[in-house]
Amino acid sequence: KDSKPVLNGANASNYEAMSAVATEAGVVLGVSGKDLNELYDTVAAIEKLGNKNLVLDTTGADIKETDRKSVV
């Protein structure tokens, strides 16, 4: 099975440029945010640009923060 690379690092401050690079390269875009609200808003903005090929990064500074960001 073929796998696609992930271009990780998109966030609220750079999502437009990162989305353009990922779309042009035909790769999945990794998106993160300081909290779930920022992640949600950033993903919504990227999807409005037409890119729905995304991986959401909910990693926190430690396991407790990661759990808090990942479990709703």
Side-chain angles (χ1 to χ4, degrees):
K1 188 174 184 180
D2 291 336
S3 61
K4 280 192 171 184
V6 175
L7 174 60
N8 199 23
N11 59 44
S13 68
N14 67 7
Y15 71 88
E16 291 180 78
M18 294 289 286
S19 182
V21 170
T23 300
E24 173 131 354
V27 299
V28 176
L29 181 61
V31 185
S32 63
K34 67 181 177 189
D35 56 35
L36 286 178
N37 290 325
E38 183 176 283
L39 180 60
Y40 176 87
D41 292 343
T42 304
V43 167
I46 293 169
E47 287 182 338
K48 282 183 184 177
L49 297 174
N51 188 351
K52 295 186 180 191
N53 199 11
L54 309 173
V55 172
L56 308 185
D57 180 359
T58 59
T59 306
D62 55 34
I63 190 71
K64 191 173 191 177
E65 183 180 351
T66 299
D67 183 63
R68 183 184 57 75
K69 287 176 72 175
S70 300
V71 179
V72 182

